[in-house]
Amino acid sequence: MAEGEIEAVAAELRLSGRIASEIDDLAPVGTAMGRSMGGRAEATAAGALSLPSGAFDVELLATARDLRTGTAALDALLGAEARLEASLRRDAEGMAIDRFQVAAADLDLDGRGHLTSAGGAFSATAHIADLGRVAPGVAGEATATLRGKGTPEGWDIEASAAGPGGASATAAGRAFLPGGRHDLEVDARFPLALVGRLVAPRRLGGEVSATLRLRGPAMLSAVSGRAALRDGSLSAPALRLSLEAIEGTASLSEGTARIAVRGRGREGGQLSLGGDLNIATPSLPASLQLELDRLVVRDRLLFDTEATGRLSATGNLLQHIDITGRIELGKTEVRIAPVGGGAAPLPPLRHVGAPPEVRRTLRYAGVDERTTESAPLPVGLDIVVAAPRLFLRGYGVDAEFGGRVRLGGTLGDVVPAGGFDLVRGRLSILGRRFDLLEGTLRSRGSFTPDIHLVAEAESADGIVARIQLSGPADAPELTVTSDPPLPEEEALAHLFFARGSANLSPLQAFRLAGALASLSGHESAAERLRLGFGLDNLDIRQDTDTTTFALGKYVTDNAYTEITVDTEGRSTISLNVDVGRNLTAKARLSDDRETGFGIFWQRDY
């Protein structure tokens, strides 16, 4: 609908009137503009136009409902209904916007300004009710102001913004100078807790502050300055890692950021990261070094270790990275997870109509069936992990291993080579001790190793029983075989009581059941004593007439001492010193003044 009038005054023609329009479907409009649009709109414009001067004065009012602009963030802010009011004019002095207002569900915008041949000025304010609409995971309101004053050389700019959690930023300087140059300085501070939902189930803490300057064209290579992180923290459950007291800096010059970050492990140790990152190149070339200094990595159910070493990451972060280096593990305890007595694993479940908070929990746990696998990050690996003293305990097992593993392949397909081999160990069941014949730990490219242990013994009635524990440490399988072949219960009955299970007394049957239960990984009294005295080894051996106690401890990283005492009053002290990779010196002194010393060379093929 349109209405108006035409008036001629001297040599000027003045047109005035009012135009109203209503569009039920904006899709054809979007097609004409080359965009995907939708929704409904109605608009009214009233004003006057003078010819040939081109002066005008227009009032505009528009309302859009269910608007889809093709930009998801903007659509989220506009919501179901958005309203625009504007007052525009042009005269002999220049052009002016006396009023420009947008009111929507989560966005309020107010601006005004003017432009003349000598310069101009403008100001604008914006308020976002919930920043999570445009930045998922960041909740809270945000405000921003922008002011500018034009000069013949360019524009003087002042801007500020404030967000949730104390986030803020200010900018000041000159923009659009001759040659497309800018001279702007930005100060900002941002609490990392604001992005908690983006990185969940990981958690971030601390605050980043930055002072940056743009001198030259609007390119990253023209930005310089410094950013700092203070009082930071990181919790990464999947990596069994928690860091605190993280401090770091990033110095930016000519498009390259020089990074230096250092943090303390919550359980002990230090971690530092340093190197260069080229942010001006789209592929993000990087050369970074990660250093670990006795950093404690712990899963209270499976393992406890401390790591020292250095890793290097080189390449393009968005194309291909190679991670190389070596990590030395200190004294490492691996616990075999209990089996038996627990609930059977749940069969695969299909969650129907689960609310968002349930879906989020499933996603954190990695069991959301709707989650699609993304392409793995192309990261090449060449990492050596060495563990000279690795102890495996549980299921009646008390064993020491040593060795190293090389992790090759890629992050998405880890190819381990090598492993950890048995140094000494035993398996204790029903008060009977079996020396381990075989023992290996092999990496599958994860924190949970595969174990393989074999112990063998012969019963008094000539039955040879072989006990084998194999599989991942968090779900191993126990098998008992014998020669001649017998069921597991029969083989154990012959091993411990030299008779078949049908001939066991009630007490013997009870003890046999206890032996089977001991293989479920429950902590024994001897294990509690070992932990209480801080020993690396506590062994209690019993034969017909004598009980022998052996107490062992590493006094240094390469020296192991053991004291043996029996109920007959005899005692022995021994010392093993690893002189080199394959060379060991051993010394022994007993209470009857018998001594021994030897040098042993050993190599595994």
Side-chain angles (χ1 to χ4, degrees), residues 171 180-188 210-227 250-258 277-281:
R181 296 180 300 107
H182 308 276
D183 189 354
L184 295 170
E185 186 168 307
V186 178
D187 290 295
T211 298
L212 303 175
R213 187 162 190 176
L214 171 62
R215 302 190 70 175
M219 301 172 61
L220 285 173
S221 58
V223 178
S224 63
R226 185 175 184 272
S251 300
L252 182 61
S253 178
E254 298 181 350
T256 297
R258 177 150 293 177
L277 175 64
N278 188 334
I279 63 173
T281 302

Side-chain angles (χ1 to χ4, degrees), residues 63-89:
T63 302
R65 295 178 176 85
D66 301 320
L67 180 62
R68 299 188 305 277
T69 64
T71 303
L74 181 58
D75 294 346
L77 291 176
L78 296 178
E81 181 174 304
R83 182 181 177 89
L84 168 67
E85 295 184 20
S87 177
L88 314 175
R89 61 182 173 85

Side-chain angles (χ1 to χ4, degrees), residues 31 53 82 192 262 332 375 413 465 570 584 589:
T31 301
S53 66
L192 292 178
R262 187 176 184 86
T332 301
D413 184 18
R570 296 183 294 266
T584 302
L589 174 65

Side-chain angles (χ1 to χ4, degrees), residues 99-177:
R99 184 176 78 259
F100 186 89
Q101 295 177 332
V102 175
D106 286 282
L107 174 66
D108 289 299
L109 181 64
D110 191 345
R112 54 183 47 82
H114 67 275
L115 181 64
T116 67
S117 58
F122 68 88
S123 65
T125 62
H127 176 261
I128 298 176
D130 183 5
L131 201 58
R133 296 286 188 178
V134 292
V138 181
E141 65 177 354
T143 59
T145 63
L146 176 64
R147 294 182 177 87
K149 182 178 181 180
T151 67
E153 292 81 23
W155 286 83
D156 294 331
I157 301 294
E158 290 184 3
S160 64
S168 64
T170 61
R174 309 192 73 191
F176 306 106
L177 299 171

Side-chain angles (χ1 to χ4, degrees), residues 12-91:
E12 187 173 79
L13 184 64
R14 180 179 175 82
L15 307 177
S16 62
R18 176 178 178 275
I19 299 175
S21 176
E22 185 172 336
I23 304 175
D24 292 330
D25 185 2
L26 290 171
V29 178
T31 301
M33 298 173 60
R35 298 181 62 86
S36 175
M37 296 182 63
R40 297 175 292 122
E42 56 187 47
T44 300
L49 171 65
S50 298
L51 296 175
S53 66
F56 63 81
D57 188 345
V58 177
E59 297 283 338
L60 178 65
L61 174 63
T63 302
R65 295 178 176 85
D66 301 320
L67 180 62
R68 299 188 305 277
T69 64
T71 303
L74 181 58
D75 294 346
L77 291 176
L78 296 178
E81 181 174 304
R83 182 181 177 89
L84 168 67
E85 295 184 20
S87 177
L88 314 175
R89 61 182 173 85
R90 181 186 176 191
D91 53 26

Side-chain angles (χ1 to χ4, degrees), residues 8-9 15 45 83 112 148 255 277 320 383 395 397 409 418 432 494:
V9 180
L15 307 177
R83 182 181 177 89
R112 54 183 47 82
L277 175 64
H320 182 85
I383 302 173
Y395 274 94
V397 173
R432 184 165 179 175
H494 282 276

Side-chain angles (χ1 to χ4, degrees), residues 239-240 297-305 332-335 447-449:
L239 297 177
R240 278 78 165 181
V297 184
R298 175 176 294 157
D299 183 314
R300 298 189 184 277
L301 294 178
L302 288 178
F303 63 84
D304 190 339
T305 188
T332 301
E333 297 268 355
V334 178
R335 291 172 284 278
F447 285 104
T448 305

